[in-house]
Every structure is written in C-alpha cells, then in structure tokens.
C-alpha cells in the first residue's frame, strides 16, 4: 500500500478510521488512473500527446522532447537493415562497399532523455502508407533519408512485389501489394534554379527563380506525406535571383545576400502549401539542417583535419560546431510559424543537434568517387573526405525513426 503523506493527513484533519478509509479509496482510484495512463502510452513509453506537441527550437511543450537525448551503442538491435541486403543502396552512401572497415557507426541508437522512440516496424508503416504517397523533396541529404527509408521498408517486401522507377528529378519506389509509393524529388533549393538537373547540377554560378515553384510542385501535388529540406546548397554569401525565365534573354538578375534569398524562396514555398495542401489529409514535415564535420578543431583535434578516420561520436552534451547556420533555421521556423494561423501545421524534425554528435557517421573517403582522384588527393585523403553526407545504415535511419514516430502520432 502506498505510504501516507503526513502533511496531507494534517491538512485534511484525518482522525477517524472512516476518514482513513476515504484516503485509501482515493489512493486506489488514483492508481487505477495511472495504470490507464501507462497503458495509453504504448509499450515503448511514447505518449501520442507528447509527439503532437509543437517543437520550438527543439523544446517540447508536451513534456517529451524526442530531439534531446544521446547516442547509445546497441549492437543487438542495430543496424535495422544490412547495407549489402538493401537492393537500392546508393554508392554515395555505401561505406562498407567502398572499403570502410570499422562498422560501429551502424550500431548507435538515438535515445531521447525522457522517453523512448517507438521501434520501427516496416509492416506497420507499409499499412499506414497503403494507397498513399510519401514524398521527400530537397537535396542529396534528403535523398539520403529517402534511401534510408527505402532500405528500412524494402526488406519486408518480396522482390517481385516492389519496383523502382526514375523519371528526371523524380524517383519512385513502389510497394505493389500496398499501392504505396515512397518518392524522392530533386529540388535542392526548393524553388526553380539552374541546379535542378538531377545529374548535372554543379555550376559555378547558382541562380534561383525565387518566385517560381510550380515546375517542381506539380510533382508533389496530392502527396499524403511531404518531407522537405533545403540548406546545403545555400551555403554561400550571396545568391543570384532571376526575374524572368532561364529561356528568356532579357531576364533581370540581381545578386542578393543568401539569407534574404532563402527567405524569399521559403515565402514562395509556404504560399504554395497554403494554396494547394489540404491540412486534413496531408502531413507536412521540414527537416532541419544536417551539420557538417569539416573542422576537427571543433572536437579538439588538429584544425587542418576533418571527419577522416573518425570512428567515435562526440560525447560532450549539447556540443555545437560551425557546420550550420542558425539564422537560416530561424527563417524556417518563422515561415512555419506564419502558416499556423492559416491552418497548416508543418512539423520540424530537429535533427541538427543529434547529428552534430556523429562525426563518425560520414562516408569520408569510403564512397564512389565520381571524378578520378589526383596524386595530391591520394597523398592527403582528408582533402577529399565527404563530411557532408552520411553512411547507411547510420544517422539518417534515426531521422526516419523520428519521422515514423510523428507519422503514427496523427
């Protein structure tokens, strides 16, 4: 029996056995309420109300912040899939295939401080996606998250019951028995740009049509779940903005400070959402900035080094580096906040801090090299280490576990 609180007894003036019986009944009823509450949170201790709380700069109003936690080494339950067995693995992310010998990067599990993430269940998610479209829109980091999602799902589907098809910027994975698609659309700057070709997009001059998104958005229209990101391609001081079309010779170009041009693009994006998305049928997500690990002095190593040869996460709580721009994230938050009074709820997946710890999770030199390496590069491997993208299995799987939690919270 629960221990009586002396202060409570004094306040109530309990003297008689009858009053003691009243206290006992109160305790029993309270215990029953607690039991019901626990049962509603599910086996993983994740309360749906906690997941639905709005996040502001990573702080949860509902008591459980899924984005605040630590990485726990777990070589029993992780990885969630095998690189070699994923039929659609990308050579840009297949670190084991391209020579990485340490595999601990596959065994880390994200553990929120105050609750547990629900265990990813591919069959349950496929049922949730039956007859629906899940579309990732953005750059190569978002494509990596899409590849992760495909790998998480496709092992549960027989070979003859799944397919992959590419058509320009749109690539579609289909689970045939579920009539479900998981798609990726290449739009690294969200709005129309001269970097929209899914293959040939690395141009010295980066130009956007800040007020034009329809060319891209017609491919997303009608999606049931939309997951956006855009950051890596904005990492420069200024951006050229075009008024007119790329086909016209008399278009007006103006070089604008990048943050301002980013805000213009976000405004166009949010206007499209307001005009074309039914909030009762569509879940909307925006993935925060994925940090880079290009300066090893951020974690106490030589300043001329980077993620090359890193095999352990950063363990310092709340560690922050210089591989992301706070003002750009604030612009995303402000844009999304303006949508709320208009009936649109875009859930931000705050993956920045949790990814910041994972200096060990990048491909480094263990990926397909699209251009032949020079002798100087071969002598200095850190000079061509990829510290932007992420090995799979790895960090993007945790991003998808967070996405999974919010998808099932609806």
């Amino acid at each position: 029996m629960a221990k009586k609180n002396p202060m409570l007894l004094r306040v109530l003036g309990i003297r008689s056995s009858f009053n003691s019986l009243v206290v006992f009944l109160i305790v029993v009823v309270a215990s029953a309420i607690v039991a019901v509450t626990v049962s509603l949170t599910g086996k993983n201790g994740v309360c749906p109300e906690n997941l639905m709380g709005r996040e502001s700069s990573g702080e949860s109003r509902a008591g459980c912040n899924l984005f605040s936690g630590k990485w726990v080494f777990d070589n029993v339950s992780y990885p969630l899939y095998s690189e070699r067995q994923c039929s659609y693995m990308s050579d840009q992310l297949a670190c084991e295939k391209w020579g990485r010998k340490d595999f601990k990067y596959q065994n880390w599990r994200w553990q929120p401080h105050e609750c547990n993430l629900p265990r990813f269940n591919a069959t349950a998610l496929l049922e949730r996606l039956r007859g629906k479209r899940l579309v990732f829109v953005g750059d190569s980091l978002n494509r990596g998250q899409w590849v992760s999602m495909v790998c998480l799902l496709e092992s549960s589907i027989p070979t003859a019951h799944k397919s992959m098809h590419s058509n320009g910027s749109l690539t579609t994975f289909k689970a045939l028995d579920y009539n479900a698609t998981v798609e990726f659309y290449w739009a690294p700057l969200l709005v129309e740009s001269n970097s929209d070709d899914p293959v040939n997009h690395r141009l010295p001059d980066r130009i956007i049509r800040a007020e034009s998104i329809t060319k891209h958005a017609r491919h997303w229209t009608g999606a049931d779940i939309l997951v956006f990101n855009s950051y890596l391609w904005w990492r420069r001081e200024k951006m050229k903005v075009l008024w007119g079309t790329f086909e016209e010779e008399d278009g007006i170009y103006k070089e604008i400070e990048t943050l301002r041009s980013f805000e213009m693009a976000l405004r166009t994006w949010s206007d499209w959402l307001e005009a074309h998305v039914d909030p009762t049928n569509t879940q909307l997500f925006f993935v925060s900035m994925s940090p880079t690990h290009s300066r090893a002095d951020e974690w106490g190593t030589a300043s001329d080094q980077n993620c090359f040869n890193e095999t352990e996460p950063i363990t310092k709580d709340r560690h922050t580096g210089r591989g992301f721009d706070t003002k750009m994230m604030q612009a995303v938050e402000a844009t999304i906040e303006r949508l709320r009074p208009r009936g649109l709820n875009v859930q931000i997946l705050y993956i920045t801090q949790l990814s910041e710890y994972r200096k060990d999770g990048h491909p480094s030199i263990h990926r397909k090299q699209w251009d032949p390496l020079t002798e100087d590069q071969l002598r200095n491997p850190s000079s061509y280490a990829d510290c932007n993208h992420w090995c799979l299995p790895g960090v993007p799987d945790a991003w998808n576990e967070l996405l999974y939690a919010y998808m099932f919270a609806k």
Side-chain angles (χ1 to χ4, degrees), residues 76 91 95 144 181 195 201 219-220 280 295 298 340 349 367 371 390 399:
V76 176
D91 276 345
C95 301
T181 63
S195 299
H201 45 244
H219 296 282
W220 324 328
T280 63
R295 303 177 181 91
E298 295 175 2
R340 294 187 190 280
L349 296 181
R367 50 166 287 186
D371 299 312
W390 302 94
W399 303 352

Side-chain angles (χ1 to χ4, degrees), residues 13 29-30 43 48 52 63 65 75 185 202 236 258 260 266 317 321 326 331 353 399 409:
V29 171
K43 294 180 180 179
M52 291 304 290
N65 186 348
N75 61 357
Y185 185 86
R202 296 201 171 274
R236 49 182 59 205
T258 293
R260 175 61 184 139
L266 287 174
D317 189 41
T326 303
Q353 182 62 63
W399 303 352

Side-chain angles (χ1 to χ4, degrees), residues 221-236:
T221 303
D224 300 278
I225 303 149
L226 280 164
V227 183
F228 295 95
N229 93 318
S230 189
Y231 168 61
L232 193 62
W233 284 66
W234 296 93
R235 295 187 65 197
R236 49 182 59 205

Side-chain angles (χ1 to χ4, degrees), residues 101-174:
K101 302 300 183 186
D102 63 294
F103 302 135
K104 285 181 65 176
Y105 68 91
Q106 301 180 2
N107 299 124
W108 294 96
R109 170 174 55 82
W110 178 246
Q111 176 61 57
H113 287 312
E114 299 172 344
C115 55
N116 296 320
L117 280 171
R119 176 74 176 177
F120 190 95
N121 185 315
T123 303
L125 183 53
L126 286 166
E127 283 293 346
R128 176 59 62 94
L129 293 175
R130 185 179 290 278
K132 296 181 179 179
R133 295 174 64 204
L134 164 58
V135 183
F136 292 82
V137 178
D139 59 24
S140 55
L141 291 162
N142 213 16
R143 181 172 58 205
Q145 186 174 355
W146 167 75
V147 174
S148 162
M149 180 61 81
V150 170
C151 291
L152 285 164
L153 292 175
E154 66 101 18
S155 61
S156 300
I157 307 170
T159 302
H161 299 257
K162 56 192 173 187
S163 67
M164 183 75 78
H165 175 69
S166 293
N167 182 14
S169 294
L170 182 67
T171 307
T172 301
F173 169 78
K174 189 164 188 176

Side-chain angles (χ1 to χ4, degrees), residues 1 54 85 98 106 133 141 169 179 200 207 269 279 410:
M1 179 181 296
R54 180 173 67 85
Q85 293 176 349
W98 294 96
Q106 301 180 2
R133 295 174 64 204
L141 291 162
S169 294
N179 189 31
N200 301 313
I207 305 169
W269 168 77
K410 186 173 180 178

Side-chain angles (χ1 to χ4, degrees), residues 167-227:
N167 182 14
S169 294
L170 182 67
T171 307
T172 301
F173 169 78
K174 189 164 188 176
L176 302 177
D177 291 344
Y178 297 87
N179 189 31
T181 63
V182 181
E183 308 168 32
F184 171 72
Y185 185 86
W186 171 261
L189 296 148
L190 292 181
V191 294
E192 189 177 346
S193 77
N194 66 340
S195 299
D196 289 340
D197 189 294
V199 178
N200 301 313
H201 45 244
R202 296 201 171 274
L203 305 172
D205 244 359
R206 200 158 293 168
I207 305 169
I208 63 169
R209 294 182 65 204
E211 299 178 348
S212 177
I213 200 169
T214 305
K215 173 186 172 183
H216 296 327
R218 60 190 177 90
H219 296 282
W220 324 328
T221 303
D224 300 278
I225 303 149
L226 280 164
V227 183

